[in-house]
Amino acid sequence: MEALDLARWQFGITTVYHFVLVPLTIGLSVLVAIMQTAWYRTGNEKWLRLTKFYGKLLLINFALGVATGIVQEFQFGMNWSEYSRYVGDIFGAPLAMEALIAFFLESTFLGLWIFGWDKLPRKVHLATIWLLAIGTTLSAYFIIAANSWMQHPVGAEYNPETGRAEMNDIWAVLTNPTTLVAYPHVISTAFLVAGTFVCGIGVYWMVKKARANKDDADLPMYRTAARFGAWVMIIAGAAVIISGDEQAKIMFEQQPIKMAAAEALCETEQPAAFSLLSVGHLGATDCNDVKTVLAIPGMLSFLATGDWNAEVSGLNDLQPKYVERYGAVDENGDVIHYQPNLLITYWTFRLMIGLAVFCAALALAVLWTTRKKQYADQKWMKTLAVVSLPMPFLAASFGWIFTEMGRQPFVVAPNPTGSDQIFLLTTFGVSTAVSATMVLTSMIVFTVVYAVLGVFWFRLIHRYAVEGAAPANPPHNPDDGEAPGPLSFAY
């Protein structure tokens, strides 16, 4: 394999691993803040115990997320130095904002939240967790803004003297229409992940306690956690659908070949059907090798434009249009295949959508079995909760893979309504000074280290999840200025 292939594999491995942790940190920080707010307003001990219980799990996830995220930025300067040279003037701005504004906000107030339980007034301490939550959501915005520029470059012009894209409007970069539709989708996904996490663990403990002793004093607390998570899942799930629909529509305008590949749409159709199942050669590169066997008539036209009878361009028509506008061969004289990998785009798009069904099933089952102050004690509920826990993580990861792999062969996709000069093929983004051996060595090292970190992450999350919430403290006066004891965590 060449350095380009290895660099892509390395970035894919490290990015997907990091992105497994990111949605949980974003969503759980807000949910923990809501739990602590509920305790602050009601004085109910169960909210304090839930805050500290899920707060421990948040700390574990946050620490691993920081450790894995640092590697990403080093890769831009090493494996992808030509990409950084070309877009550094633009791409570096939102990343710098993320570090200087969001990350420092997160890290500063996370420390105050951890160690300020018995030292800060309750109102001030509550503000620290909300500032942490604000920091995580701000961080996501700046990262999405940077990535959205790669999907749809705006606010920049090409300088032929330096051979670089240079920013001329930072506001246009930060308010990129792609960012404005992608960000709500990412945030709602984060809440879906966190809601499933809170609900799944709450259901596990509720069923366990209910089957052992119907009079267990902790049952109301875990029922509250399960129902709280379930409602978050319902609201977030609706937001995911709405924001995903908006993102699909703008993607059809900006990157029509990506969405055509996601649907295995070979020929232009009016109206176009949404493919539920297509068959063909595994890894087929020729769209004609794929045949749709099950589809919903007109659905793709509606998803693309909002009109059930609209025309949607197919891959066989889009390829020559791309060739006409961006060229048939690259600077090395190699033929450019603008069609993304059909196997990856088609199935990652469907897995992203399909795995969310588990979340819907868990949320509805919890709300039904715990209605009228009942406690779920069915064994299948516990099984459903455990099985559902990883599903939104996987769905989010498949969605990220689809977004990035579907952009190929571009690392910076062209803006169909902007300058034809601002785009970059992935082939020319890789460093010319880093050999395949060097990339392979670092990839092996990172993969092994990340595997070890993954084991530690899982064991820590599992350990503290199955340990349950700490025992109830003696009755506490909510008007006191301090909380009963600091947040404990075994490092």
Side-chain angles (χ1 to χ4, degrees):
M1 297 179 73
E2 298 180 354
L4 172 63
D5 302 312
L6 292 168
R8 291 179 66 187
W9 270 105
Q10 180 175 338
F11 199 86
I13 291 169
T14 54
T15 300
V16 170
Y17 186 98
H18 177 61
F19 195 69
V20 167
L21 307 170
V22 168
L24 182 59
T25 296
I26 296 170
L28 193 57
S29 63
V30 176
L31 299 191
V32 170
I34 293 173
M35 293 175 189
Q36 187 168 341
T37 302
W39 172 67
Y40 174 81
R41 293 181 64 86
T42 67
N44 193 318
E45 189 78 12
K46 70 178 180 181
W47 286 113
L48 175 63
R49 294 176 65 198
L50 288 175
T51 299
K52 292 195 171 189
F53 175 46
Y54 286 105
K56 286 183 182 181
L57 305 180
L58 171 63
L59 294 181
I60 297 168
N61 199 73
F62 185 90
L64 268 294
V66 171
T68 56
I70 292 173
V71 176
Q72 304 299 98
E73 297 186 10
F74 281 102
Q75 290 183 85
F76 289 127
M78 300 185 74
N79 292 353
W80 300 97
S81 59
E82 287 301 307
Y83 163 78
S84 297
R85 184 196 66 80
Y86 182 76
V87 304
D89 183 62
I90 306 146
F91 192 74
L95 291 186
M97 292 178 182
E98 190 269 340
L100 293 173
I101 300 174
F103 182 71
F104 278 101
L105 191 67
E106 296 172 54
S107 55
T108 299
F109 289 101
L110 176 63
L112 289 172
W113 186 70
I114 295 172
F115 301 109
W117 276 96
D118 54 353
K119 296 177 177 63
L120 296 174
R122 285 204 314 140
K123 187 178 293 186
V124 174
H125 188 260
L126 176 62
T128 63
I129 185 63
W130 276 111
L131 287 168
L132 166 65
I134 291 170
T136 60
T137 52
L138 270 179
S139 179
Y141 188 87
F142 291 125
I143 296 299
I144 294 301
N147 181 265
S148 294
W149 191 88
M150 298 167 66
Q151 310 285 344
H152 182 68
V154 294
E157 60 184 6
Y158 179 74
N159 186 335
E161 295 181 2
T162 61
R164 301 174 65 243
E166 298 178 355
M167 183 165 58
N168 57 19
D169 189 349
I170 180 62
W171 184 247
V173 173
L174 293 177
T175 58
N176 189 335
T178 308
T179 304
L180 298 181
V181 297
Y183 181 68
H185 192 60
V186 170
I187 293 299
S188 55
T189 299
F191 282 114
L192 182 63
V193 170
T196 306
F197 187 79
V198 170
C199 180
I201 295 174
V203 169
Y204 170 87
W205 274 105
M206 176 176 58
V207 174
K208 183 177 180 179
K209 293 280 187 180
R211 291 177 69 86
N213 180 10
K214 288 284 188 180
D215 297 321
D216 194 297
D218 288 343
L219 268 173
M221 178 183 66
Y222 289 118
R223 177 183 179 273
T224 297
R227 288 184 64 84
F228 174 56
W231 280 115
V232 170
M233 292 162 67
I234 293 293
I235 297 170
V240 166
I241 294 171
I242 295 170
S243 60
D245 179 64
E246 291 299 317
Q247 191 173 22
K249 286 178 170 57
I250 198 169
M251 200 174 291
F252 268 105
E253 297 176 7
Q254 297 174 354
Q255 300 181 56
I257 202 165
K258 175 195 287 190
M259 293 307 294
E263 298 303 327
L265 182 66
C266 300
E267 304 297 337
T268 300
E269 296 182 9
Q270 184 181 11
F274 179 82
S275 169
L276 294 177
L277 177 64
S278 292
V279 297
H281 300 302
L282 190 65
T285 56
D286 185 351
C287 188
N288 295 316
D289 291 337
V290 179
K291 181 180 179 181
T292 299
V293 294
L294 186 61
I296 303 175
M299 187 67 179
L300 182 57
S301 294
F302 177 78
L303 292 175
T305 65
D307 181 356
W308 290 89
N309 295 309
E311 179 180 280
V312 180
S313 298
L315 291 167
N316 291 337
D317 290 324
L318 288 170
Q319 172 69 17
K321 290 180 181 179
Y322 272 67
V323 168
E324 180 182 356
R325 184 163 186 177
Y326 306 113
V329 296
D330 60 28
E331 296 174 15
N332 295 331
D334 297 323
V335 175
I336 305 175
H337 298 283
Y338 292 102
Q339 177 181 297
N341 184 293
L342 288 176
L343 175 68
I344 293 175
T345 52
Y346 184 86
W347 286 111
T348 52
F349 188 67
R350 276 144 190 79
L351 287 169
M352 173 187 68
I353 298 171
L355 292 175
V357 172
F358 287 89
C359 300
L362 177 61
L364 294 175
V366 167
L367 293 176
W368 177 257
T369 56
T370 60
R371 70 193 187 282
K372 298 180 180 179
K373 298 183 179 182
Q374 297 180 77
Y375 300 113
D377 60 357
Q378 300 90 340
K379 191 174 181 180
W380 63 265
M381 275 292 296
K382 186 177 177 182
T383 302
L384 177 62
V386 173
V387 171
S388 297
L389 273 173
M391 296 306 171
F393 289 90
L394 294 173
S397 295
F398 281 124
W400 196 254
I401 291 170
F402 165 71
T403 299
E404 298 306 296
M405 291 293 290
R407 188 181 61 238
Q408 303 303 318
F410 298 104
V411 66
V412 177
N415 181 342
T417 61
S419 172
D420 284 347
Q421 293 179 303
I422 299 182
F423 67 87
L424 183 65
L425 292 168
T426 306
T427 303
F428 299 105
V430 72
S431 172
T432 57
V434 179
S435 67
T437 302
M438 295 169 67
V439 180
L440 178 61
T441 301
S442 60
M443 183 173 72
I444 293 172
V445 171
F446 280 133
T447 302
V448 172
V449 171
Y450 275 24
V452 173
L453 289 175
V455 171
F456 278 106
W457 174 81
F458 177 78
R459 294 192 65 178
L460 284 170
I461 291 288
H462 180 266
R463 171 186 170 182
Y464 287 102
V466 300
E467 188 178 276
N473 290 305
H476 173 68
N477 184 356
D479 295 326
D480 291 347
E482 298 178 350
L487 180 66
S488 61
F489 179 73
Y491 289 92

